[in-house]
Amino acid sequence: MKKLFFYMILMLVSVQIQAQKDFQGMAVYESKTQAPKFEGMRGNRDITPEMQKNMEERMKKMLEKTFILNFDKSASIYKEEEKLEAPGQQNGMRIMFGSLTGGGGTFYKDVKTKSYTVDKEFMGKEFLVVDSLPKLDWKLEQETKQIGGYNCFKATAVKQASKTDFRNFRPKNNDDKKEETKKTSGDTKTNFTDNFEIPKEIIVTAWYTPEIPVNQGPENYWGLPGLILEINDGTTTILCSKIVLNAKEKVEIKPSKKGKVISQKDYDETVIKKMEEFREMNRGRAGGPPPPMGR
């Protein structure tokens, strides 16, 4: 009898271990970013009010994205949902900012090794960014709310703002604009990026649910005792709209291998350099295609 009882306990433990090993989930996230106003273009005689409105509407659509997060106990892949685009939408602006707004590749996170891999295409060149996961000093709050039927807890953190993420751009105040105008008083036209700045730090608010005990979340967010269902950094909100746990069809969770391997720091330096070149080439013009990447 004792042997039978021991055997049953052993079988139960084996089943639980296997269930944990096979555990997998899928979460759908809707990402929305406040579109910047192109107020700096109003002084440009080549930009009509209709053109300005059209640019703002196109930017707004570019900043509304849907992402899929597939995750297990230790790793995840986060990728923008593919959508068909109308002919002619791949213009210079979209090429320039497409990979700078949270999309543009498969983001793989391994919370055991605390590393990530993401493939990015920037100005026609493929990169494979491999680096350590950023560790945020999360402050766990007592405030709670429900998201999609899950009980969620609030957490906050302060992080450095990425200079290569267009979503971090903030409008300059009037004094900054006046100072910039003095410096460029000889120019008859203004590039719209002249009207924005990037803060050094941003406050991040997260909502996570311990009911799904995985150390995962959208983009490069992680490190909380439960799946992160919502992220807000002041201008961008990423909200989970659907969760499926242990679906019959499993998804292969592994990093991409395409592109030139590069660290995040080196990738950022490459992007910043090209953005500066793009800025100078387009100063005094309404727009145009970005300069080609060097080999």
Side-chain angles (χ1 to χ4, degrees):
M1 188 69 180
K2 289 183 178 180
K3 288 184 178 180
L4 178 61
F5 180 73
F6 176 76
Y7 177 75
M8 291 176 65
I9 293 295
L10 187 62
M11 287 292 293
L12 181 60
V13 171
S14 298
V15 169
Q16 289 179 336
I17 293 175
Q18 186 63 34
Q20 289 184 352
K21 183 179 179 181
D22 294 339
F23 171 80
Q24 194 175 105
M26 183 273 290
V28 179
Y29 291 88
E30 307 296 336
S31 176
K32 292 186 178 182
T33 300
Q34 296 175 15
K37 297 294 183 181
F38 288 68
E39 295 178 354
M41 292 291 195
R42 292 176 182 172
N44 190 331
R45 289 176 295 179
D46 292 341
I47 304 297
T48 66
E50 290 77 17
M51 291 171 65
Q52 178 179 320
K53 183 179 179 181
N54 181 260
M55 290 167 67
E56 290 178 355
E57 288 178 351
R58 289 167 68 183
M59 180 64 74
K60 182 175 182 292
K61 290 181 179 179
M62 286 169 58
L63 295 173
E64 293 180 352
K65 300 172 180 285
T66 300
F67 294 87
I68 306 295
L69 177 74
N70 289 284
F71 58 90
D72 55 28
K73 286 288 184 177
S74 61
S76 68
I77 51 174
Y78 183 74
K79 188 174 183 179
E80 184 178 354
E81 183 180 62
E82 295 182 3
K83 296 179 181 178
L84 291 176
E85 296 181 341
Q89 285 192 346
Q90 287 293 336
N91 55 29
M93 181 179 288
R94 191 169 186 86
I95 295 172
M96 179 66 184
F97 295 118
S99 62
L100 305 179
T101 54
T106 299
F107 199 112
Y108 171 84
K109 292 198 298 286
D110 188 330
V111 297
K112 278 191 175 181
T113 62
K114 296 179 174 58
S115 63
Y116 70 91
T117 301
V118 56
D119 57 305
K120 288 180 172 288
E121 182 178 343
F122 184 68
M123 293 186 179
K125 193 168 184 178
E126 293 184 339
F127 296 91
L128 188 64
V129 182
V130 181
D131 219 314
S132 300
L133 279 170
K135 183 172 175 58
L136 296 181
D137 185 15
W138 290 109
K139 180 182 178 182
L140 304 185
E141 312 280 0
Q142 295 299 316
E143 190 176 345
T144 64
K145 72 175 181 178
Q146 282 210 340
I147 299 178
Y150 289 92
N151 294 313
C152 296
F153 290 84
K154 182 180 180 180
T156 57
V158 177
K159 76 170 188 177
Q160 278 193 318
S162 170
K163 294 181 180 180
T164 61
D165 190 338
F166 184 69
R167 296 170 301 175
N168 291 330
F169 282 33
R170 307 292 198 264
K172 289 182 179 178
N173 60 41
N174 291 332
D175 292 338
D176 291 336
K177 288 181 181 179
K178 290 177 182 178
E179 187 66 26
E180 188 70 22
T181 301
K182 290 179 182 179
K183 293 179 181 179
T184 59
S185 57
D187 296 335
T188 57
K189 303 174 184 178
T190 305
N191 190 294
F192 84 94
T193 57
D194 295 334
N195 296 282
F196 301 100
E197 61 185 356
I198 299 176
K200 292 182 179 180
E201 295 179 332
I202 55 179
I203 298 175
V204 178
T205 300
W207 293 90
Y208 67 95
T209 176
E211 295 173 16
I212 306 178
V214 295
N215 194 355
Q216 293 288 347
E219 295 190 3
N220 60 352
Y221 292 105
W222 69 292
L224 287 169
L227 180 65
I228 298 173
L229 299 188
E230 182 178 340
I231 285 285
N232 182 278
D233 69 1
T235 61
T236 297
T237 297
I238 305 174
L239 178 63
C240 182
S241 60
K242 180 181 179 181
I243 294 176
V244 177
L245 299 177
N246 291 321
K248 290 183 179 180
E249 294 185 11
K250 301 296 181 182
V251 175
E252 192 173 24
I253 299 176
K254 65 178 183 178
S256 175
K257 294 183 179 180
K258 64 178 182 179
K260 176 186 176 182
V261 177
I262 190 172
S263 69
Q264 186 68 59
K265 180 182 177 181
D266 289 343
Y267 175 78
D268 289 347
E269 289 176 353
T270 300
V271 172
I272 291 171
K273 180 181 177 181
K274 288 300 173 182
M275 287 178 70
E276 287 297 329
E277 291 179 7
F278 179 80
R279 172 190 170 111
E280 292 304 316
M281 286 182 65
N282 286 276
R283 185 179 293 278
R285 293 194 301 167
M293 290 289 291
R295 293 180 180 236

